Amino acid sequence: MTVWDALIGQDSAVDTLRAAAQAGADIAAGRPVPPGAMTHAWLFTGPAGSGRSVAARAFAAALQCDRRDQLGCGECAQCRTVAARTHPDVRSVVPDGLSIGVELMRSVVGLSARRPSLGRWQVVLIEDADRLTEQASNALLKAVEEPPARSVFLLCAPSLHPDDVSLTIRSRCRLVPLRTPPADAVASVLVADGVDAESAEWAAAAGHGHVGRSRRLARDADARARRAEVLAIPASLTSLGACLDAADHLVGAAEGEAAALSAELDAGETEALQVALGAGGTGRGVAATVRGTAGLLRDLEKRQRSRATRTQRDALDRALVDLAAFYRDVLLEHAHSPVARAHPDFADDVVAVAQRVDPAGALRCMDAVLACREALDLNVKPRIAVEAMTAELRLPGD
Ligand SMILES: [Zn+2]
């Protein structure tokens, strides 16, 4: 498997990155390349689940890969250590809590000016560039404006909106827009993973272009049950008590999903890191590496904590996207529209809610769901934001 195989439905981005990796190898070998063939700063954007950080990491591996005939082979020592996050010339910048501060950014920028030790490039990968503080962003801008000869900055952010990435940084970066992968591409990946065709098709549609989510829906009965719980909410909101119960369920389901996902990822990563570090080894040099090992494990734990916070928000956000799509289905029902429903398996509930909520009411419900997403973005406590929303979604007439 090459590093590119993990990118689903992103052919044009893969072409761009492959060509740039080739140019990068040529530059390192002293061969001439056309102007602009390789760039020092890249910005990967796309909706959650489109694979921004997967694309950036694949590119980082291809920039260092030993296989000149197949850059990003996924098998050489360079590709493997980039994947395990132990490559000395690929530095990940991870938010401490919810933001990336200026001190951290300054030190990373300083390190990026060194010559690469094993690879061809000093790569700095910022998976959450939307979490840079303004000062950190300015520190990065200086490096991006006058990059050291062998430095490459890979930034990932949800969108090009100035709230996500400052205009000046954006103007210095080559853009790699990733799209929401089409359902048939997601379905064929699931089939290749061993999921039967019918389940794969259903999970691809129900995941709304989020590959990881579709994979969990296909494989994990708990994930399917959590989705069903979320989608059963609109028809159940017949009293204030029911609204509060529903809020409790939503927040609880997000916590449950995040915990399951984090446990799975954490265990895999810790093991990969220990294998990469030769866990259990004895002999010369062990004492020297132990100090480095502790640092790497600390970094990993920090990254995992930060991810747990993000994962819980993402899980809740996906539940809200499912809910908004439910009310969209209600509107389509009112309009007798032939447009495909987002949740065909909840058609009965959609009809039941449409009988009690008129089109204007359905629009108000969508607004309430979107307002809840915005509140969560602004760091309002999940339970408070969700309770306010479910109260708004209460069915009329009770
Ligand atoms: Zn390789």
Side-chain angles (χ1 to χ4, degrees):
M1 257 202 27
T2 74
V3 296
W4 311 112
D5 292 334
L7 282 161
I8 295 152
Q10 312 291 354
D11 297 348
S12 94
V14 169
D15 289 348
T16 304
L17 297 172
R18 277 197 142 128
Q22 187 57 55
D26 288 341
I27 290 170
R31 288 189 290 269
V33 301
M38 175 56 191
T39 312
H40 289 276
W42 297 74
L43 176 56
F44 298 79
T45 59
S50 59
R52 307 184 288 259
S53 58
V54 176
R57 194 159 291 279
F59 185 40
L63 284 170
Q64 315 286 29
C65 177
D66 286 329
R67 283 276 303 271
R68 291 303 174 86
D69 58 327
Q70 198 190 11
L71 292 171
C73 69
E75 276 158 16
C76 71
Q78 309 271 355
C79 283
R80 286 218 307 269
T81 47
V82 172
R85 299 172 183 254
T86 51
H87 196 292
D89 302 323
V90 178
R91 215 167 292 280
S92 290
V93 180
V94 181
D96 194 6
L98 287 172
S99 63
I100 300 172
V102 63
E103 294 299 324
L104 174 61
M105 207 58 236
R106 278 200 194 116
S107 95
V108 168
V109 164
L111 291 169
S112 76
R114 295 187 188 172
R115 286 194 63 76
S117 55
L118 284 181
R120 293 186 286 272
W121 298 86
Q122 276 285 5
V123 180
V124 174
L125 203 170
I126 308 177
E127 286 184 25
D128 302 287
D130 53 315
R131 303 275 157 176
L132 289 163
T133 63
E134 197 180 332
Q135 285 171 310
S137 185
N138 288 335
L140 173 65
L141 180 62
K142 289 202 187 84
V144 171
E145 279 177 331
E146 288 171 41
R150 284 298 177 81
S151 301
V152 184
F153 294 88
L154 308 180
L155 283 60
C156 307
S159 77
L160 292 175
H161 192 280
D163 282 352
D164 283 344
V165 186
S166 80
L167 288 170
T168 39
I169 289 211
R170 173 187 148 181
S171 69
R172 301 283 170 172
C173 292
R174 186 147 158 207
L175 304 181
V176 184
L178 300 171
R179 57 179 188 151
T180 298
D184 55 348
V186 177
S188 46
V189 170
L190 295 179
V191 168
D193 282 356
V195 176
D196 70 88
E198 196 184 331
S199 311
E201 203 176 308
W202 172 82
H208 303 302
H210 192 297
V211 181
R213 166 113 168 113
S214 292
R215 193 172 271 142
R216 281 193 296 284
L217 284 171
R219 283 187 184 158
D220 178 0
D222 288 345
R224 288 194 290 275
R226 281 191 293 268
R227 169 181 176 272
E229 259 179 44
V230 168
L231 289 174
I233 286 175
S236 76
L237 299 176
T238 52
S239 68
L240 190 57
C243 293
L244 292 174
D245 281 352
D248 208 45
H249 259 99
L250 266 175
V251 176
E255 284 168 356
E257 183 173 347
L261 183 62
S262 298
E264 191 183 305
L265 290 170
D266 291 359
E269 280 175 357
T270 307
E271 194 188 326
L273 182 60
Q274 277 162 351
V275 168
L277 294 169
T282 52
R284 275 193 297 171
V286 167
T289 50
V290 163
R291 231 170 296 137
T293 307
L296 284 171
L297 280 171
R298 239 190 345 266
D299 284 354
L300 180 64
E301 281 166 12
K302 188 170 111 185
R303 197 163 67 234
Q304 289 173 339
R305 269 199 309 277
S306 156
R307 185 176 57 207
T309 313
R310 295 291 303 267
T311 307
Q312 197 178 319
R313 285 161 165 259
D314 288 351
L316 189 50
D317 195 60
R318 270 196 299 285
L320 296 178
V321 170
D322 274 349
L323 273 183
F326 180 96
Y327 289 105
R328 178 175 170 273
D329 282 359
V330 172
L331 278 175
L332 293 174
E333 182 66 27
H334 275 300
H336 305 291
S337 164
V339 171
R341 305 296 194 258
H343 304 300
D345 48 341
F346 278 79
D348 291 348
D349 276 20
V350 167
V351 170
V353 170
Q355 278 164 359
R356 303 185 60 172
V357 177
D358 63 12
L363 275 175
R364 276 198 301 277
C365 290
M366 285 179 83
D367 279 347
V369 176
L370 298 177
C372 180
R373 294 184 76 190
E374 280 169 22
L376 292 172
D377 257 359
L378 295 170
N379 276 334
V380 173
K381 277 210 187 322
R383 193 166 296 271
I384 292 172
V386 172
E387 282 177 357
M389 174 191 74
T390 53
E392 291 275 326
L393 300 181
R394 184 174 168 182
L395 292 167
D398 280 308

